[in-house]
Every structure is written in structure tokens, then in C-alpha cells.
Amino acid sequence: MSPRSKKQFEALRASSTSRILNAALELFGTVGYQATTIAQIAEKARVSKGLIYNYFDSKEALLKAMIEELSKEGEKIMQTVDTDDPTKMLESIIRGAFNWLRNHEKQNRLIMGLVTQVDQFDFVHDMANRKMKEYMELISELLRKIKFPNHRTEARILTTLFDGIGVQYLVLKQDYPLDEVEEMLIKRYCLPKKGNS
Amino acid sequence: MSPRSKKQFEALRASSTSRILNAALELFGTVGYQATTIAQIAEKARVSKGLIYNYFDSKEALLKAMIEELSKEGEKIMQTVDTDDPTKMLESIIRGAFNWLRNHEKQNRLIMGLVTQVDQFDFVHDMANRKMKEYMELISELLRKIKFPNHRTEARILTTLFDGIGVQYLVLKQDYPLDEVEEMLIKRYCLPKKGNS
Amino acid sequence: MSPRSKKQFEALRASSTSRILNAALELFGTVGYQATTIAQIAEKARVSKGLIYNYFDSKEALLKAMIEELSKEGEKIMQTVDTDDPTKMLESIIRGAFNWLRNHEKQNRLIMGLVTQVDQFDFVHDMANRKMKEYMELISELLRKIKFPNHRTEARILTTLFDGIGVQYLVLKQDYPLDEVEEMLIKRYCLPKKGNS
Amino acid sequence: MSPRSKKQFEALRASSTSRILNAALELFGTVGYQATTIAQIAEKARVSKGLIYNYFDSKEALLKAMIEELSKEGEKIMQTVDTDDPTKMLESIIRGAFNWLRNHEKQNRLIMGLVTQVDQFDFVHDMANRKMKEYMELISELLRKIKFPNHRTEARILTTLFDGIGVQYLVLKQDYPLDEVEEMLIKRYCLPKKGNS
DNA sequence: CATGAATGAGTGTTCATTCAT
DNA sequence: AATGAATGAACACTCATTCAT
């Protein structure tokens, strides 16, 4: 009855789980969480509806798992930034933020859509809230280290800009000069200023 | 022939319509469009479900009416800004944007939630797209007039900041120093620069 | 308070009532009774929804009134047929039946649609039943008088044919040779037979 | 991979589908299509409302499926008639038509009810139209072969009679002498005439 | 007599979830 | 582990009918 090894089973599990998560992300990130049906996810993942409930307790649990995975991925990226030279680190963070936007369009769309609903997806709201504050603190600290004037205010500006870029990029798409804005921010915050000395 | 006067009917209609629109805005702007049911709207507006369909063809038509009203309101505000002195005008626009954020939280939430869904609420997406570009052009032109260096790039920054502030304010609420950021932007863009002369 | 004479009021009543009945017939007879809404009737009659309920207790009462009017009209037509010469009378009846089909398409459609529903429009069913039997008796008697062989069976055939023609005309419309069939029936039943003597 | 065998699923599907179709026919054919609710069908089929939508896209699709099945059944019956001897064939067709009336009361009622509504169930109208013309052609040809005088006109009479019998039987039920009329038609059209030789 | 805004029970339909296999 | 048939609560929407004026 059990000719498959444990490893095979686990591989199966992993494969199905990730197929489901990928399909869900694809749909949540385009048509939205509420407008996506379990049937659509099952079809896109080429899996039966029932199987989804073997791995996830509910549609919301599936969402939660996705958000958590996303949160972990975000942390992982943060840990790869160089921690010695504050200027290099800031540049690394800025470039990382822009790359995130480029590579996680669906995720951004999803989160943006969820974060607007009050009292319903508190775990998303909380995560967004926490991340925003973490970013703020980190960047503020870096700007202080590189002796950028008004470092707190500038950190506010910079983090706010990140979110603004996210929204504008999401709406304007190719019309938004992502590369240009990236270089401009690098220049403003990571290069030695001439006239500000 | 007519037992209630035309005026009476008109008043009745206006009252119901606005009650419905208000209730819908309240709900769409908090729990979201899709998560809001017609029954909830009817209850909040203290009106029967059926009556809503006397005034709006469908749930989506109700949304459309709301968005259009919003769009008009936006235009009206834009027309009130002083058009003589570019510096004054820019300040007026910036202050207007912040006041909009303060007074239209529900609307912002709603639009932000809708704009993320692709191929579903194109009229919202289109409006957002158009407004963003209009703002960009207007501000760019003003910065050029007041001889702000790199006026196009700075206009990009400023409009992007508006959206970013919207997102952060929406998530962080009281934790976001709205007033402080407002003053800072006024100072940066509307006051004579010392070192830049 | 009552500056209008009784006659004026009655004229008003008659006008509205008949406008409503006409509109209802138009709609019942094309889209069907159930598919027709009171709102559609009101609109077509250029009358308010409420007024319809001044004259008719309910949608079904409106239908009943229509059917009754129709029934009376049918009787009136029957009374106009010449009662002296049985052959002439038969011809008159046959021609009358064909003219009825030509002039009462909507009514036929309506009745045909209603008569199929069991336990719902018994008054229609009953009327149809009664009319069919009356016709059968009358024609049978006439055929007997003109010494048509197998007069009962032939009466059955003839009345059945009337209904069949109704159905086929209703479905095939211009493709059905109504005039041709009319002449054929007249020839068969109302002219002296050559070979059958 | 699959817990229930393909066959098991197939059997389940077939069972549910036919239960639903039977229940729908029962109701459509008595109270009528529009007056029948999905809830009633579900209850009579001892099935949940939702399941109906697993098999049929909509109430109208359910009707369409029923009509199509009916159309196929009609063709099947037509193919069983003896094709060698035209007289035998004609008798077979006449007897077939009467048996159809006896065994398909609900279907006839349903179709008769639908065919009266214009611009709404065109597929029913079209089918009725087509069948009528097919029958007309076939019978006309047979009468020609057996050298019946005025074969076209007589074919018209005969097919019209079929429909008329349908209507009268539907209204008069047991009061209509179906058997008697059947024998009479057989005698008139399928037996060698005395005086016509 | 006449209006049309207002109601609410009822309709077709959807969809997350369960369960026998 | 996997299937998909089955459920039923919930939804958007309709419409005959009422009623204040």
C-alpha cells in the first residue's frame, strides 16, 4: 500500500503546495483576493479543489501563508545588504527596494489591495505597519551615520517615496521612469553633496 | 394630475440618493467594494434593498456614480487654487493635497483598493492614471516657472510623494506626521532657497 | 372639489382602462404574461404604476378582465352569423374563424401560452374548454343539417383543424397558406359535393 | 491518483443529471418554465440548488438541454418507421404522432407554452418551425407516392390536424376521443378508397 | 383621479467548504 | 495524497404591490 518513500511523499507535498501558492499568487495579485475563487486556483495549479484543503485550512489561511512567505522573503533580502559602510548599505537598500518593485508586482498589488480593508486582514495591515516602521528606523539611522542633514525628516521622505513609487509604478506601469528615479535617489542620498557642506 | 409636486419628488429622490451614496461610501471605503453587500448599504442608509435599484442599475453602477462624483469634486478643488503667483499656487496645491488626504480617507482607501485589480475597474484605473499625469504636468510647469532646478524630476518626486504619503497615512494613521511633512514640503518647494540662489 | 362632470370622469376612466388593457394585451400577447411586468404595462399605457391598481386589483385580475372581454367579443362575433341557411352559416363560421386568427394574433398567443399551465389559470382553461365544446356542438349540428356524412366526426375534424391552423399560423406566420386553407375548407364543407352523392 | 474510479464519477454524474432533467421536465411541463423555480426543481430532484449549476450553466441552459434531448428523441422515432411501403410508412407516422401525444404530454405543454413567446426562446421556435416543415414535406411526399389526390393540400391538412389534436387533447384531456380520431385518420389516409379508384 | 417613491419577499446564481471514496 | 460531486448559506437583483400626497 505504501510503495512510495517518505521522500517522495514530501516532494509531492512540496510540489503541490508550491503549485497552489504560485497559482494563488498569480490570481490574488491580478484579479484580487476576493474576486479569486478556489476553483480558479485549483484549475491554474492543475490540482483538485479538495487538495487545496489538504494543505490549507481555508482561503484566508492560504492568503496568510502567502503573506508570511512574503514577509520572510523580505527579511532575507534585508539580511543580504552590506552592513559595514553605511553609504554602501543605503545604496544597497535603495536598489533593493527598486528591484523588489520590479520583481514583485503581483505581491505589491495584492498587499495594496488588502491593506485598504479595515478590520479584515489585520495580519496584512500589521505586517505593512511593522515593515514601514522598521524601514524608517533603519534608514533614519543610516542617514544619521552619513551625516545627512535632517536625517529623520529625510528618512520619512525616502520611505514615503518608496511607497509612492510603488503606487505610481502600479498605475502608470511603463510610463513611470523607474530607472531614472532610482538613479536620482542614489545621487541625492548616496553621493557626496557639493553645495551642502 | 400629480399629487406630490415635482419639487417634493425631487427632494425625495435627492435625499434617498445621497443617503445611499453616503452609506455606500462609508462601507466601500472601510470594508471594501467587494466585501460590501447591498443589504449592508440598504441597512446603513435606512432604506430597502429594492430602492437602491430605483436609483442605480447595479452595484457597479453605484460605484461608478461615486467615482464620478469624486472626480468632479477633485476638479472643483483644483479650480479654486490661485492662478496668478506660481509659488502661491504651488503652496495652495500642496496644502490642498494634504487636506484631501485628511478629508477623504474613505475615498482614498476605496480607490487604492480598486486600482490594484486589473481588467475589472478600468474606469477607476483610467481616472487615477489621468489625474496622476495631470498633476505631474501642472506641478512640473509651476516648478519651471519658479525656476526650481530639475523641475521635471522634482515634479516627479513631489507627485510621487503625494501618493506615498497617502499610503503611509492610510496604514500608519496617527503615527504618520502629516502636519510635519506638509510643512517640510512647503518649506522645500515654496520658500526662497538660501543656498540655491 | 368636483368641477368635472360625471361624464368627464367616466371618459377619463374609460380612456385609462382601455389604454391599460391595450398595453397589457400588446405585452402579454408577445412576451407573455409572466414575462411582462406591471412597469412595462404602465410605461406603454403612459400611465403610472399606481393607477393600474386603481382599476385592477392585481396583475392576475388584469389578465382576467382581458380574458373576459375577449370571451364577450367572441360571443358577439358568433351572434352576427346568419342563422337561417345552415350552409351559409357554416361558411360564415369558417370565415369568421380565419378572420379571428388574422386579427387576434396576440390574443391567441396569450391564451395558448396560458392554457398550458395547469392549476394556475383555470379560468382560461375553462373558457377554452367551454368554447371548444360549444364550437363542436354548433358545427356538428350544422353538418347534420346539411346532411354531411359522419357529421360528428367531421365536426371533430373541423374544430380540431381550427386549433391546428392557429398553432401553425402562430409558428410559421407568412409561410402558412392561410387563404388557401380557408378556401379549401369552404370548398370541402360548404359546396355541394360532386362524387359523394 | 483518483479515489473514485472514472466510472463511479460518470455514474454519479449521469444519475444526478437525469434526476435534475426529470424533475425539471415534470415542473416545466405542468406549471410552466417561468413559473418553475430552481428551488422547486432541486427539491423534486432531491438535490441541492447548487448542484444544478454544476451541470447546467443556467435555468435557460437547462431548458435548452431538455429541448435538445427532445429533438433527438423525435428524430430517433422518425428513423424507426418502415421505409419501404409508403402506405405502411404513413400509417406508422400517424400512429407515431398519436403515441407521441399520449406519452409526451408534459413536453408538448412545455413547447406550446414557449413557442408563444416571441424573441425569447428562439431555439424552441426554430425547432418547432423546422419540425413542422419536415413533417409537411415527408407526408406530402408519401401522399404523392400513394397517389392521394391534392397531396400537398392534404398533407397540409394532416399536419395541421396533428397540431390541432395536440391542442385539443391538451385542453380537453379525456374528453377528446384520441383513439377514435386516430382510427379515422388511418382509414381516410391509409386504406384503399372506394370511390377514388 | 393620479403619481412614483418605497417595500420586501422571492429569484437565479455563486462559491467556500465538506466528504465518500 | 487526491478527486470532484455535493452542499447551503449568501449574494445581487427583480417586481408586484402599497401608500403618502
Side-chain angles (χ1 to χ4, degrees):
Chain A
M1 274 302 181
S2 175
R4 279 185 249 213
S5 72
K6 272 203 175 150
K7 273 212 165 167
Q8 276 176 312
F9 268 123
E10 257 163 50
L12 234 65
R13 282 188 69 94
S15 155
S16 291
T17 305
S18 81
R19 283 239 300 285
I20 292 167
L21 279 168
N22 284 338
L25 173 58
E26 183 71 33
L27 289 160
F28 287 173
T30 49
V31 300
Y33 171 74
Q34 337 233 15
T36 298
T37 71
I38 293 287
Q40 286 171 331
I41 297 172
E43 192 187 20
K44 192 170 268 280
R46 275 169 302 122
V47 141
S48 72
K49 267 187 295 173
L51 191 64
I52 294 177
Y53 286 87
N54 270 14
Y55 298 119
F56 304 96
D57 283 345
S58 66
K59 192 182 172 187
E60 188 167 341
L62 173 54
L63 174 65
K64 242 173 198 152
M66 227 168 76
I67 298 292
E68 261 160 44
E69 206 186 42
L70 201 63
S71 178
K72 275 182 203 152
E73 197 187 348
E75 275 166 30
K76 205 172 289 174
I77 287 177
M78 284 305 283
Q79 285 160 1
T80 65
V81 299
D82 182 10
T83 54
D84 278 351
D85 179 351
T87 306
K88 283 258 168 76
M89 191 172 168
L90 184 58
E91 180 176 350
S92 187
I93 285 173
I94 293 176
R95 293 210 184 277
F98 277 86
N99 282 331
W100 177 275
L101 288 180
R102 277 186 267 259
N103 304 328
H104 294 75
E105 193 190 322
K106 285 186 283 272
Q107 287 90 335
N108 292 333
R109 222 189 282 279
L110 169 59
I111 290 171
M112 198 77 84
L114 293 173
V115 105
T116 58
Q117 265 123 306
V118 305
D119 292 340
Q120 281 179 102
F121 304 101
D122 287 347
F123 57 97
V124 181
H125 191 96
D126 291 350
M127 190 201 65
N129 195 307
R130 188 160 24 83
K131 293 271 181 206
M132 279 179 179
K133 286 180 174 164
E134 278 175 23
Y135 252 78
M136 174 67 196
E137 285 312 313
L138 175 60
I139 288 173
S140 179
E141 179 63 14
L142 287 174
L143 288 176
R144 192 188 56 77
K145 279 188 186 153
I146 65 177
K147 302 195 196 311
F148 206 99
N150 302 317
H151 61 91
R152 274 206 81 76
T153 303
E154 283 297 334
R156 187 106 268 161
I157 299 273
L158 192 46
T159 53
T160 301
L161 266 171
F162 284 160
D163 284 319
I165 294 162
V167 174
Q168 296 238 347
Y169 181 52
L170 201 137
V171 172
L172 300 176
K173 274 316 287 289
Q174 307 91 319
D175 291 358
Y176 194 80
L178 205 58
D179 300 348
E180 192 185 318
V181 175
E182 180 176 6
E183 293 316 317
M184 197 256 294
L185 289 189
I186 296 287
K187 208 168 98 190
R188 175 176 293 193
Y189 291 102
C190 306
L191 295 190
K193 293 291 177 70
K194 305 167 259 185
N196 271 337
S197 62
Chain B
M1 280 291 187
S2 189
R4 267 188 251 209
S5 70
K6 278 255 163 74
K7 272 210 167 172
Q8 276 174 308
F9 276 131
E10 192 53 49
L12 234 49
R13 289 182 64 89
S15 154
S16 291
T17 304
S18 86
R19 285 240 299 286
I20 292 167
L21 278 169
N22 285 338
L25 174 59
E26 184 69 35
L27 288 161
F28 287 173
T30 50
V31 300
Y33 171 73
Q34 338 230 17
T36 298
T37 71
I38 293 286
Q40 287 171 332
I41 297 172
E43 194 186 17
K44 191 172 270 285
R46 274 170 304 123
V47 141
S48 70
K49 265 187 300 170
L51 191 64
I52 295 177
Y53 289 89
N54 268 17
Y55 298 114
F56 304 96
D57 283 343
S58 65
K59 191 182 171 186
E60 187 167 342
L62 174 53
L63 173 65
K64 244 173 197 151
M66 229 168 77
I67 298 293
E68 259 160 48
E69 207 184 43
L70 200 64
S71 179
K72 274 182 203 152
E73 195 186 349
E75 275 166 32
K76 206 171 287 176
I77 288 177
M78 284 303 283
Q79 285 161 358
T80 65
V81 298
D82 180 11
T83 55
D84 279 349
D85 179 351
T87 305
K88 282 257 169 72
M89 189 171 171
L90 184 58
E91 181 177 347
S92 187
I93 286 173
I94 292 176
R95 294 209 183 278
F98 277 86
N99 282 331
W100 177 275
L101 287 179
R102 277 186 268 259
N103 303 328
H104 294 75
E105 194 191 323
K106 287 186 282 269
Q107 288 90 335
N108 292 333
R109 221 190 283 280
L110 169 59
I111 289 171
M112 199 75 85
L114 293 172
V115 104
T116 59
Q117 264 122 307
V118 304
D119 293 338
Q120 279 177 103
F121 303 102
D122 286 348
F123 57 98
V124 181
H125 191 96
D126 291 350
M127 190 202 65
N129 195 306
R130 189 159 26 81
K131 293 271 182 206
M132 279 179 179
K133 286 180 174 165
E134 279 175 22
Y135 251 79
M136 172 68 197
E137 286 310 313
L138 175 60
I139 288 173
S140 180
E141 179 63 14
L142 287 174
L143 290 177
R144 192 187 58 75
K145 279 189 187 152
I146 63 177
K147 303 198 195 309
F148 207 99
N150 302 317
H151 64 271
R152 274 206 85 74
T153 303
E154 283 298 334
R156 186 108 265 159
I157 298 273
L158 191 47
T159 53
T160 302
L161 266 171
F162 285 159
D163 285 320
I165 293 161
V167 174
Q168 297 238 347
Y169 181 53
L170 201 138
V171 173
L172 300 176
K173 271 321 285 292
Q174 307 90 320
D175 292 359
Y176 195 80
L178 206 57
D179 300 348
E180 190 186 320
V181 176
E182 180 176 5
E183 293 316 317
M184 196 256 295
L185 289 189
I186 296 287
K187 206 169 98 189
R188 177 177 289 194
Y189 290 102
C190 306
L191 296 190
K193 292 293 176 68
K194 303 168 264 185
N196 272 336
S197 63
Chain C
M1 273 296 184
S2 176
R4 277 185 251 212
S5 73
K6 268 203 177 153
K7 272 213 168 171
Q8 274 177 313
F9 265 123
E10 256 164 52
L12 232 65
R13 280 187 71 93
S15 156
S16 290
T17 306
S18 79
R19 282 239 301 285
I20 292 168
L21 279 168
N22 284 338
L25 173 59
E26 184 70 34
L27 289 160
F28 287 173
T30 49
V31 301
Y33 171 73
Q34 337 232 17
T36 298
T37 72
I38 294 286
Q40 286 171 330
I41 297 173
E43 192 188 18
K44 192 172 269 282
R46 275 168 303 125
V47 140
S48 73
K49 267 188 297 173
L51 190 62
I52 294 179
Y53 286 88
N54 270 13
Y55 298 119
F56 305 97
D57 283 345
S58 66
K59 191 182 173 187
E60 189 168 340
L62 174 52
L63 174 65
K64 241 172 199 152
M66 227 168 76
I67 298 293
E68 260 160 46
E69 206 186 44
L70 201 64
S71 178
K72 275 182 204 152
E73 195 187 350
E75 274 165 32
K76 205 172 290 177
I77 287 178
M78 284 305 283
Q79 285 161 1
T80 66
V81 297
D82 182 9
T83 55
D84 280 348
D85 179 353
T87 305
K88 283 257 169 76
M89 190 172 169
L90 184 58
E91 182 176 345
S92 188
I93 285 173
I94 293 175
R95 294 209 184 278
F98 277 86
N99 281 331
W100 176 275
L101 287 180
R102 278 186 267 258
N103 303 328
H104 294 74
E105 193 192 322
K106 286 186 282 270
Q107 288 90 337
N108 292 332
R109 222 190 283 279
L110 169 58
I111 291 171
M112 198 77 84
L114 293 172
V115 105
T116 60
Q117 265 124 303
V118 305
D119 294 337
Q120 280 180 102
F121 303 102
D122 288 347
F123 57 98
V124 181
H125 191 97
D126 291 349
M127 188 202 66
N129 196 307
R130 187 158 27 80
K131 293 272 181 204
M132 278 179 181
K133 286 180 174 165
E134 279 173 22
Y135 251 79
M136 173 67 196
E137 285 312 313
L138 174 60
I139 288 172
S140 180
E141 180 62 13
L142 288 174
L143 289 177
R144 191 186 58 74
K145 278 188 188 153
I146 64 175
K147 305 199 194 308
F148 206 98
N150 302 316
H151 65 270
R152 273 206 85 75
T153 304
E154 283 299 333
R156 187 105 265 160
I157 299 273
L158 192 47
T159 53
T160 302
L161 267 170
F162 284 160
D163 284 321
I165 293 160
V167 174
Q168 296 239 346
Y169 181 53
L170 200 137
V171 173
L172 300 175
K173 274 317 288 286
Q174 308 92 320
D175 292 358
Y176 194 79
L178 205 58
D179 300 348
E180 192 186 317
V181 175
E182 181 175 6
E183 293 317 316
M184 198 256 294
L185 289 189
I186 297 287
K187 207 168 98 189
R188 176 176 289 194
Y189 291 101
C190 306
L191 297 190
K193 291 292 175 70
K194 304 168 262 183
N196 271 338
S197 63
Chain D
M1 279 293 185
S2 189
R4 269 189 250 210
S5 71
K6 279 252 163 75
K7 274 210 167 173
Q8 275 175 310
F9 276 131
E10 191 53 47
L12 233 50
R13 288 181 68 87
S15 155
S16 291
T17 305
S18 84
R19 285 240 300 286
I20 292 168
L21 278 169
N22 285 338
L25 174 58
E26 183 70 34
L27 289 160
F28 286 174
T30 50
V31 300
Y33 171 74
Q34 338 231 19
T36 298
T37 71
I38 292 287
Q40 287 171 332
I41 297 173
E43 193 186 17
K44 191 171 270 283
R46 275 171 303 124
V47 142
S48 70
K49 266 188 299 172
L51 191 64
I52 294 177
Y53 288 88
N54 269 15
Y55 298 113
F56 304 96
D57 284 343
S58 65
K59 191 182 173 188
E60 186 168 343
L62 175 53
L63 173 66
K64 245 174 195 150
M66 230 168 74
I67 298 293
E68 259 161 44
E69 209 185 42
L70 201 64
S71 178
K72 275 182 202 152
E73 197 187 348
E75 276 167 30
K76 207 172 286 175
I77 287 177
M78 284 304 283
Q79 284 161 0
T80 65
V81 298
D82 181 10
T83 55
D84 279 348
D85 179 352
T87 306
K88 283 257 169 72
M89 191 170 168
L90 184 58
E91 182 177 347
S92 187
I93 286 173
I94 293 175
R95 293 209 185 279
F98 277 85
N99 282 330
W100 177 274
L101 288 180
R102 277 187 269 259
N103 304 326
H104 293 75
E105 194 192 322
K106 287 186 281 272
Q107 288 89 337
N108 292 334
R109 221 189 284 280
L110 169 59
I111 290 171
M112 199 77 83
L114 293 172
V115 104
T116 59
Q117 264 121 308
V118 305
D119 292 339
Q120 279 179 100
F121 303 102
D122 287 348
F123 57 97
V124 181
H125 191 97
D126 291 350
M127 190 201 65
N129 195 307
R130 190 159 25 81
K131 294 271 183 208
M132 279 179 180
K133 287 180 174 165
E134 278 174 23
Y135 252 80
M136 173 68 196
E137 285 311 312
L138 175 60
I139 288 172
S140 179
E141 179 63 13
L142 287 174
L143 290 177
R144 191 187 58 74
K145 278 189 188 154
I146 64 176
K147 301 194 197 311
F148 206 99
N150 302 317
H151 62 91
R152 275 206 83 76
T153 303
E154 284 298 333
R156 186 106 268 160
I157 298 275
L158 191 47
T159 53
T160 302
L161 268 171
F162 284 161
D163 285 320
I165 293 161
V167 174
Q168 296 239 345
Y169 182 52
L170 202 137
V171 172
L172 300 176
K173 270 318 285 292
Q174 306 91 321
D175 292 357
Y176 194 79
L178 206 58
D179 300 347
E180 191 186 318
V181 175
E182 181 175 7
E183 293 316 316
M184 196 256 295
L185 290 188
I186 297 287
K187 207 168 97 188
R188 176 177 289 194
Y189 291 102
C190 306
L191 295 191
K193 292 291 176 69
K194 301 169 265 186
N196 272 337
S197 65

